[in-house]
Amino acid sequence: MKILNRVANKQLTLILRNRFELVEPATIGHHLHYGFMDSRVRSMLQDVKIVGNAFTVRTNSNDSTMVHKAVSMAREGDVIVIDRTGDTKHACVGEMVVYAAKSRNVAGIIIDGPCTDIRAIREIGVPVFATGLSPITTKLYGISGEINTIIQCGGVAVKPGDFIIADDNGVLVLSQDLNYEEILEKAEFSERNEPNFKRLLDMGKPLSSITKADQLLEQTNDEYKENDR
């Protein structure tokens, strides 16, 4: 078993964090091609949005000792990200873990596996992202596990301190070696342009013309040119 010191995200400032809160992961998805967790890891609540630094946990199939320790160590605004090492049967997060997370003002919990006690989780209100639900839970064995090490969740490597953005559409992990300012500028530009796109659509302009899809087809597809005449 291993517990390492928490890792700060040195690139992230309060201003950048506040700007990320206003941007959807799906908008970033127009510009970034990696860091997105598999769609099987999805929100268990509706209308949620979380941002925060990753506080990572790895635990084996039926031992949740490290999950209990991690939720006791996490700080306000952290996102607890849990690697279940391939287990899809046992729920390591339920009512008491989520209640403990709320007491520490944790931003959310992301699990590469199922959770349980969904009614209680909805009442507590802490955003939980999981692969589904299960009635069988992990136990406290103290056999193995790690905190604040590099883990895998939803097909993405997650390092302690990585920046997490998640909403109903899915989960995005932004590594600290990425340029956050550049990512934000592109996403913010796209979101500022959306009202203009809608206005042009309302005026009857084809989407393929607005997005320049027609232009790309004309450049690359001779058959398209023939059919368009």
Side-chain angles (χ1 to χ4, degrees):
M1 302 176 78
K2 182 188 298 184
I3 300 177
L4 301 183
N5 294 329
R6 64 183 298 113
V7 177
N9 189 317
K10 296 180 180 179
Q11 183 181 173
L12 190 68
T13 64
L14 180 59
I15 293 175
L16 286 177
R17 183 189 180 106
N18 290 340
R19 288 169 64 190
F20 272 119
E21 287 182 344
L22 300 176
V23 173
E24 296 182 4
T27 302
I28 299 175
H30 290 299
H31 307 284
L32 197 65
H33 303 289
Y34 48 86
F36 297 88
M37 290 191 184
D38 294 338
S39 58
R40 59 189 175 82
V41 180
R42 62 191 187 277
S43 178
M44 297 290 102
L45 307 181
Q46 292 183 334
D47 300 322
V48 300
K49 171 72 178 289
I50 63 172
V51 297
N53 291 345
F55 192 90
T56 62
V57 189
R58 177 182 287 114
T59 184
N60 70 8
S61 62
N62 61 350
D63 185 4
S64 57
T65 306
M66 282 302 200
V67 174
H68 288 212
K69 182 61 177 176
V71 79
S72 302
M73 293 174 60
R75 297 179 184 175
E76 180 175 355
D78 283 343
V79 178
I80 298 174
V81 186
I82 305 174
D83 181 349
R84 295 293 290 116
T85 59
D87 181 76
T88 60
K89 183 176 182 179
H90 300 84
C92 67
V93 169
E95 180 178 3
M96 289 298 101
V97 169
V98 175
Y99 196 91
K102 183 176 182 179
S103 74
R104 300 188 66 81
N105 295 316
V106 168
I109 302 173
I110 300 172
I111 317 153
D112 195 4
C115 63
T116 195
D117 299 331
I118 187 60
R119 288 185 180 178
I121 290 174
R122 288 170 180 159
E123 291 175 0
I124 295 166
V126 173
V128 174
F129 294 75
T131 58
L133 302 171
S134 176
I136 183 170
T137 65
T138 51
K139 313 297 188 290
L140 293 174
Y141 294 126
I143 299 172
S144 65
E146 299 176 357
I147 292 175
N148 283 326
T149 60
I150 300 174
I151 64 168
Q152 185 280 140
C153 187
V156 177
V158 185
K159 299 184 291 295
D162 282 352
F163 192 59
I164 307 292
I165 310 173
D167 64 10
D168 292 15
N169 292 306
V171 181
L172 169 61
V173 181
L174 293 178
S175 173
Q176 294 195 55
D177 57 9
L178 294 174
N179 188 323
Y180 290 177
E181 180 65 37
E182 181 180 332
I183 291 169
L184 274 169
E185 286 178 357
K186 291 179 179 179
E188 289 168 342
F189 179 80
S190 294
E191 294 199 343
R192 284 197 302 270
N193 274 344
E194 284 184 2
N196 294 329
F197 280 13
K198 292 177 181 177
R199 179 177 55 82
L200 292 172
L201 289 168
D202 289 340
M203 293 170 59
K205 194 163 186 178
L207 179 64
S208 57
S209 174
I210 299 170
T211 62
K212 295 185 170 54
D214 287 338
Q215 181 178 334
L216 288 171
L217 286 167
E218 289 174 359
Q219 293 173 350
T220 60
N221 193 322
D222 291 334
E223 183 178 347
Y224 172 83
K225 296 176 186 177
E226 293 293 331
N227 292 336
D228 199 41
R229 288 174 183 172

